[in-house]
Amino acid sequence: MTLSSSLRARTRRAALVTLTTASVLVSGAVAAGAAPSPGTPSGAKHSTRQGAIGTLTAVPAAGARTAAVTIPSTCAGLMHRTVDGRVDRYVYRGSRFTRTTLGELVFDNGLETPQAFALVAQTAEYDVFFAVRANGSLWRVVWDGSGLYSEQVSARGWGGVRHLTASPTGTMLYALTTSGGLYRYSVTPALTVKSLGAIATSGWSGVRFLSALPADDTYDAFVGVFSTTGGVSQYLVERSSGRTTSSKWFTSGWSTIRHLSVGSCANSPGASLIGINNSNNAFGYYDSNIFDGSAANLRSAGQVGSGFSGLLTD
């Protein structure tokens, strides 16, 4: 299958509630260096048209420290689950999940669950993922509504990648490595990748995953959970330089969360969040204004699902 270089990608999360064209590709030199210390206050400010982004303070588990709330049906997000090579898409709207089976991941005529997998772009015709196999190869995976189609992008060099995530705009790809590094790549209009080098070659081993937050004009923003302390931090990566800063959201209480998906709300600064714990149970959260710089609005919806085993990705 050949992809046209003129495909126009939409912002992944916004496509669920509003149709929005992604920002144009921005590239620049990366300033390599040590990872920002978890919890170090950032001098940078991440903002959107609604204002500064808020902070999370609730523990994502049954009996969280916040009052119960129902997530509005106008709030939605998505995540993917891969088990034995089969990819299922879960769209969560409010506190309800809708599952769609996208198909099976076949590489070199064999069914396989990759070690890293990420949705990068949604277009009018295709959804595009990148996958890293255990043999160190990088593949582009396309879903056209009828099935998944795989095409090798690179035969080697990706074996150390343990986690992939795309930027909020879908124009950058970020990789956490087994050696504790964080690397950045630009996604070209032809939906290939170009290395922008290392943001850091060490210091990121404790970050279990990175999940994209709403985009702005300057930074790619992510949230990460620490497997050791259970803390939560926000990371801002300046697109033009690769300079990365962090701020602590929560000091502990999230150690059981192995994946966190952040959604959005139509015509609202609110956001829905789904956390999956080590027991494969899903917990829902809602913040009526995630951009207000306060944790006062965050409320727990309690457990909203179970059975989410396998590889989880946005």
Side-chain angles (χ1 to χ4, degrees):
M1 173 176 292
T2 300
L3 296 180
S4 168
S5 61
S6 63
L7 292 177
R8 298 174 63 195
R10 293 198 300 268
T11 301
R12 297 169 297 138
R13 195 166 291 104
L16 291 166
V17 289
T18 56
L19 299 181
T20 308
T21 303
S23 302
V24 296
L25 179 67
V26 179
S27 61
V30 172
S37 175
T40 300
S42 168
K45 293 183 181 298
H46 172 60
S47 63
T48 69
R49 291 184 180 89
Q50 289 93 351
I53 196 164
T55 57
L56 300 181
T57 59
V59 178
R65 303 174 194 165
T66 54
V69 70
T70 298
I71 300 174
S73 60
T74 53
C75 301
L78 65 81
M79 62 182 177
H80 298 87
R81 171 176 174 259
T82 306
V83 178
D84 297 330
R86 189 189 74 181
V87 180
D88 289 323
R89 168 170 290 171
Y90 292 85
V91 174
Y92 55 91
R93 189 172 296 278
S95 299
R96 298 176 61 87
F97 291 89
T98 301
R99 184 182 70 181
T100 301
T101 297
L102 302 190
E104 295 181 331
L105 289 169
V106 178
F107 306 102
D108 293 331
N109 299 317
L111 194 64
E112 182 181 331
T113 296
Q115 65 186 39
F117 193 55
L119 174 64
V120 174
Q122 291 182 295
T123 76
E125 300 176 40
Y126 307 102
D127 287 2
V128 181
F129 303 80
F130 283 106
V132 175
R133 297 178 61 194
N135 66 4
S137 59
L138 177 70
W139 292 65
R140 182 172 55 231
V141 178
V142 177
W143 181 64
D144 66 356
S146 63
L148 295 168
Y149 304 89
S150 303
E151 181 180 6
Q152 185 171 285
V153 176
S154 177
R156 62 182 64 87
W158 291 76
V161 172
R162 62 180 174 88
H163 175 75
L164 284 177
T165 190
S167 66
T169 60
T171 58
M172 298 282 183
L173 191 66
Y174 291 81
L176 290 171
T177 67
T178 54
S179 61
L182 175 64
Y183 291 77
R184 187 172 71 144
Y185 306 82
S186 63
V187 179
T188 72
L191 297 173
T192 60
V193 295
K194 178 182 178 181
S195 176
L196 297 176
I199 290 177
T201 57
S202 62
W204 290 78
S205 295
V207 180
R208 181 170 286 188
F209 57 82
L210 292 173
S211 295
L213 292 168
D216 68 15
D217 294 334
T218 305
Y219 300 100
D220 288 337
F222 304 93
V223 61
V225 171
F226 289 86
S227 56
T228 51
T229 65
V232 182
S233 287
Q234 174 189 280
Y235 299 97
L236 303 181
V237 183
E238 190 173 20
R239 293 194 192 99
S240 62
S241 67
R243 188 175 70 91
T244 305
T245 53
S246 70
S247 58
K248 185 176 292 184
W249 281 14
F250 200 71
T251 57
S252 63
W254 293 63
S255 59
T256 65
I257 296 300
R258 66 186 187 93
H259 183 73
L260 181 67
S261 180
V262 184
S264 61
C265 301
N267 304 315
S268 166
S272 55
L273 300 91
I274 301 292
I276 310 295
N277 68 7
N278 291 332
S279 299
N280 302 320
N281 297 319
F283 294 88
Y285 292 84
Y286 171 66
D287 192 325
S288 60
N289 188 354
I290 201 168
F291 305 109
D292 66 358
S294 169
N297 297 318
L298 187 68
R299 297 291 183 269
S300 169
Q303 185 171 334
V304 295
S306 61
F308 287 92
S309 60
L311 176 66
L312 300 176
T313 58
D314 284 338

